Amino acid sequence: MVTAITVGSATIDIIATIADTDIEQMKLTNQTASFLLMEPGRKVDADNIKTYLGGGGVNAAICLKRQGFETSSLVKVGQDVNAQSILAKLESEGIDRSFVCRDSEHATAVSLLIASHDHDAAIFTHRGANESLTHDDIPVDGFSGADLVYVAGLSNASADLFPEIVKRAHAAGAFVATNPGIRQLTSKTGAFFDSLKDVDLFICNKAEARALIPKLVERTGWDGGMAPALEDDAMILEIGGFRLGYSDYFARIHSLGPSYVGITDGSYGAHLSRDGEIAFQPVIETQVRGTTGAGDSFAATLSGALVRGASTMEALRLAALNSSSVVSHPDAHTGLLSAKELARRAS
């Protein structure tokens, strides 16, 4: 039995799905940005409002458990009814709860998601206990025997523990994978770069990779070079006067430690580099009903497949299949596939 430990957030997700005709969307023509517009003081009818469980640590744990991993989750929750819901969900999925931490001062995290138009939900979040991990919450020998330690995005004080978490996981001999969020990457960049020596797989989305470029160039040097001519516009990271092709970006991240480096790019697809050999997986078309948990399912599936010995292309294919199934549902868990179903769809 292969074993996995996930580290990250645990959240109650309240998802309001609103018909396109009941809320306005504004798209900017000079930026890749759009906004949902709500009129103050006006009630907006929702097609439905449902409560689900989520958070990167929980989502990844359920994803890996359904793929056949013996899974534990290191998350922190409050002493409230929402915490009981999360604990019950982990138990129902067969996930070990011995690493779950309780916080008497902070409430369990809650997110409110508004899904409409392209269903890339706008999110209001109260991070609560997710921000309050301490050194005492990290089990001294807890990573011993784990085949995979997957570290999702961490918030504020919890993110300060990222270096210690990956250091202990690496020392325990686990394959260490991480999919941090943009707040962690941009506010604690130096510590993150220093910790990559203990990471086997680092994956993020294109916007997050782009945000890293200035400090990545500062860390690894800049010769003024342009992106390779063979890389099309979809494989260019450009910000603040810097212009890097994916191959350049991957090489710089590899030099800091990880053997695997990935970039996801929404409807375009995903790239994964193994020590400079780059594989590409186009998106698998599906009817999108929500994007909650899509990144978690992709990164966790990818990590699990690599631990089991899949090639980069095989791992990318499985990750794309699982995430496409997830986005065909409004929540993060209904679409998560078993290892058997993933294998069937991949054949």
Side-chain angles (χ1 to χ4, degrees):
M1 178 70 71
V2 285
T3 60
I5 300 173
T6 68
V7 185
S9 59
T11 306
I12 299 294
D13 290 336
I14 303 170
I15 304 178
T17 304
I18 301 172
D20 296 356
T21 54
D22 290 332
I23 189 169
E24 294 296 330
Q25 183 184 49
M26 179 179 71
K27 292 188 176 182
L28 301 183
T29 57
N30 63 336
Q31 297 183 38
T32 56
S34 63
F35 301 86
L36 296 177
L37 304 179
M38 294 180 289
E39 182 181 348
R42 174 176 172 261
K43 290 184 178 180
V44 179
D45 290 333
D47 288 345
N48 59 68
I49 300 176
K50 294 184 178 181
T51 299
Y52 302 95
L53 305 182
V58 171
N59 294 344
I62 295 173
C63 178
L64 290 166
K65 179 64 179 180
R66 293 189 187 178
Q67 291 177 53
F69 282 76
E70 192 66 33
T71 307
S72 304
S73 190
L74 173 54
V75 297
K76 197 161 191 176
V77 297
Q79 298 281 0
D80 47 30
V81 66
N82 287 335
Q84 296 305 317
S85 296
I86 288 172
L87 290 170
K89 177 65 174 178
L90 293 176
E91 182 176 24
S92 70
E93 293 283 346
I95 295 167
D96 177 53
R97 304 182 303 170
S98 59
F99 293 156
V100 176
C101 307
R102 305 298 294 271
D103 191 322
S104 60
E105 297 182 8
H106 299 87
T108 302
V110 178
S111 293
L112 172 63
L113 299 86
I114 300 175
S116 187
H117 292 275
D118 54 11
H119 296 283
D120 191 5
I123 303 174
F124 302 88
T125 186
H126 171 66
R127 300 184 189 278
N130 286 337
E131 297 181 324
S132 65
L133 278 176
T134 68
H135 281 279
D136 291 339
D137 295 325
I138 307 173
V140 175
D141 298 319
F143 299 132
S144 178
D147 297 293
L148 166 64
V149 174
Y150 175 93
V151 187
L154 299 169
S155 302
N156 294 338
S158 297
D160 291 334
L161 298 179
F162 178 82
E164 185 66 21
I165 291 168
V166 297
K167 180 181 179 180
R168 292 190 190 184
H170 177 76
F175 182 97
V176 183
T178 187
N179 177 30
I182 195 165
R183 293 173 74 245
Q184 179 181 347
L185 289 173
T186 55
S187 65
K188 305 179 188 297
T189 314
F192 178 76
F193 284 159
D194 290 341
S195 301
L196 284 178
K197 64 182 183 297
D198 295 317
V199 171
D200 297 287
L201 165 65
F202 164 47
I203 184 167
C204 64
N205 65 38
K206 188 173 184 178
E208 293 160 345
R210 184 187 298 114
L212 276 179
I213 295 305
K215 290 186 178 179
L216 180 61
V217 168
E218 181 181 319
R219 175 64 67 100
T220 58
W222 178 247
D223 58 7
M226 297 293 287
L230 294 179
E231 294 184 315
D232 60 29
D233 288 344
M235 295 178 65
I236 301 296
L237 299 169
E238 190 167 10
I239 186 173
F242 297 111
R243 181 177 168 86
L244 269 66
Y246 277 18
S247 59
D248 191 352
Y249 167 83
F250 288 143
R252 290 168 185 266
I253 297 293
H254 283 312
S255 73
L256 300 179
S259 297
Y260 295 91
V261 184
I263 294 178
T264 60
D265 189 13
S267 60
Y268 178 71
H271 289 81
L272 179 65
S273 173
R274 180 179 183 179
D275 294 325
E277 295 185 8
I278 301 173
F280 171 67
Q281 170 63 49
V283 70
I284 296 174
E285 297 294 337
T286 189
Q287 182 178 2
V288 177
R289 296 188 60 200
T291 57
T292 304
D296 297 324
S297 64
F298 189 96
T301 304
L302 182 71
S303 304
L306 291 174
V307 166
R308 283 181 156 155
S311 69
T312 52
M313 274 309 311
E314 290 169 340
L316 279 172
R317 174 70 174 168
L318 293 172
L321 285 166
N322 215 3
S323 61
S324 70
S325 177
V326 167
V327 301
S328 66
H329 300 271
D331 68 300
H333 302 154
T334 302
L336 288 172
L337 302 174
S338 67
K340 182 177 180 180
E341 178 60 19
L342 270 176
R344 187 191 70 81
R345 295 191 185 192
S347 62

